[in-house]
Amino acid sequence: MLGALGLEPEEEFVYRALLGRPSATAMLLADLLDRPEAVVDKALARLVETGLALRSGGEAYLAAPPAMALGALITERRDGLRIAEQALVSLAEEHRTAVAGRSISELIEVVSGVDAIRHRFQQVQQAARTEIRNFVTAPYLAVPPGSNAQEDAAAARGVRFRVVLERSVLAQPGIIDEVVDSLERGVELRVADRLPMKLILADGDLALVPVTAPQAAQPGSEPGAVLLHRSGLLAALEALFETVWQRAYPLELSSFGADGLPYVELDTDGPTELDRRILSLLLSGLTDQAVATQLDLSLRTLQRRLRHLMDLAGVETRMQLGWHAARHEWA
């Protein structure tokens, strides 16, 4: 919850424990939280550094009042963003001056038709030297899941992939297997509630963006896209991607497990691989029915597994289950 302010999960965990006590030592907190004392010591040092905790004589610590301490951190972040915005204006002007001699036709190319868009999509990936950034939304048009041949080639060259999926994409049939495959190949994936557009960026040099949505196109008309070369508009798309990336929910391979379906339900004292996948999809924002469909389960089986997990965690609500799952790395 406090990650946006620069806190690691362990630091937030220790801070929350410290809030409920007049003062506490690292040893006491380590026993209370069932954490190694060295981990708690490191978290406390970071909390003191950020102003969220104070030393209280000897080895004891006090939690700083949240309204004061967190308010200061929020203000600091806002000031940092303002400075970054000012720098962006200056950098954009420098870049505009550098490309002022280029004509519009050199900076923007209109692409029409599914085949042409697919061809340019592959070319953008071929041109990447260090990184590809991608917004993925449904419905698919030119490059459906499993048909991106250039992704493997780019990854083999050492190109980093960062991809943000719109949450509705996770409800598409068969997409979870595709997600697991991408994660296994080192693709960094995150999920956002909504994305403003489809987008692919190759380094800071090329971007491909649709200009007509499939549902908005006239019957019989062809879809269109624009290929952007290095320009102020491309820099704005880079900034948009980074903003969305920072706010999106990360997906990790451990959340989904390495094995495919079917699952075997075991009577264990902890979550099974099936349970971990259920929790991960629910934390990504999917409905019970969408999760059940993705995992080829009945809705009744899914809800029975959730009740079992709540009993294991000793909680009464799903919100409490999500907090417990995050703290104990269940998902």
Side-chain angles (χ1 to χ4, degrees):
M1 187 180 298
L2 301 181
L5 299 179
L7 286 188
E8 297 295 330
E10 285 291 346
E11 295 163 2
E12 179 177 350
F13 194 32
V14 172
Y15 178 64
R16 288 177 177 275
L18 196 58
L19 278 175
R21 287 158 187 79
S23 68
T25 64
M27 182 181 297
L28 175 63
L29 290 170
D31 290 340
L32 178 69
L33 302 175
D34 192 24
R35 293 289 198 276
E37 189 172 344
V39 172
V40 174
D41 267 327
K42 182 179 178 181
L44 286 169
R46 174 64 177 155
L47 293 175
V48 170
E49 179 185 339
T50 56
L52 290 174
L54 306 168
R55 288 190 174 275
S56 179
E59 298 180 351
Y61 292 83
L62 289 172
M68 176 186 71
L70 294 178
L73 285 179
I74 291 171
T75 299
E76 182 181 331
R77 285 297 171 113
R78 285 174 178 162
D79 291 343
L81 286 173
R82 261 195 301 272
I83 293 172
E85 287 173 351
Q86 292 168 1
L88 174 60
V89 172
S90 175
L91 292 171
E93 179 59 25
E94 290 180 24
H95 189 266
R96 186 195 67 77
T97 302
V99 300
R102 300 173 67 183
S103 67
I104 293 297
S105 61
E106 291 179 299
L107 297 176
I108 300 176
E109 174 190 346
V110 178
V111 184
S112 299
V114 172
D115 290 341
I117 292 173
R118 182 184 300 115
H119 181 63
R120 285 292 185 265
F121 185 89
Q122 303 295 358
Q123 284 185 325
V124 168
Q125 293 178 98
Q126 289 173 334
R129 299 181 304 278
T130 59
E131 183 177 41
I132 289 173
R133 291 167 286 182
N134 198 1
F135 283 161
V136 178
T137 67
Y140 302 105
L141 182 61
V143 187
S147 64
N148 186 5
Q150 285 301 321
E151 184 175 302
D152 287 340
R157 298 196 307 272
V159 174
R160 179 189 184 191
F161 277 81
R162 286 193 289 152
V163 180
V164 182
L165 304 174
E166 192 168 67
R167 201 175 299 280
S168 61
V169 170
L170 290 176
Q172 299 293 313
I175 194 63
I176 297 303
D177 289 338
E178 182 76 13
V179 166
V180 171
D181 182 61
S182 294
L183 289 170
E184 287 177 337
R185 286 185 282 109
V187 176
E188 299 172 50
L189 291 175
R190 296 191 177 188
V191 178
D193 289 333
R194 290 186 179 278
L195 292 175
M197 65 184 78
K198 296 179 186 291
L199 169 68
I200 183 169
L201 288 158
D203 303 322
D205 300 321
L206 291 173
L208 186 66
V209 187
V211 292
T212 54
Q215 60 270 26
Q218 296 295 324
S221 64
E222 289 189 316
V226 291
L227 180 66
L228 303 175
H229 294 263
R230 183 179 290 274
S231 62
L233 181 55
L234 193 146
L237 292 175
E238 286 188 280
L240 172 64
F241 179 92
E242 295 302 332
T243 298
V244 173
W245 176 262
Q246 290 299 324
R247 297 177 180 175
Y249 175 85
L251 294 179
E252 297 178 355
L253 187 59
S254 59
S255 303
F256 295 93
D259 300 322
L261 297 174
Y263 296 95
V264 176
E265 295 188 29
L266 303 174
D267 185 13
T268 67
D269 293 330
T272 64
E273 286 303 317
L274 170 59
D275 294 331
R276 292 179 186 276
R277 191 175 264 195
I278 288 172
L279 286 169
S280 180
L281 293 175
L282 287 174
L283 289 172
S284 297
L286 268 66
T287 63
D288 287 6
Q289 186 59 63
V291 173
T293 300
Q294 284 291 345
L295 301 181
D296 196 23
L297 302 172
S298 70
L299 186 59
R300 184 176 179 182
T301 296
L302 174 74
Q303 292 171 343
R304 179 164 56 83
R305 296 306 304 170
L306 285 173
R307 182 68 259 176
H308 173 64
L309 289 171
M310 290 169 70
D311 291 341
L312 282 177
V315 299
E316 295 298 327
T317 68
R318 291 197 182 186
M319 183 176 294
Q320 292 171 335
L321 177 61
W323 176 249
H324 183 91
R327 286 196 308 175
H328 295 273
E329 299 181 351
W330 280 12

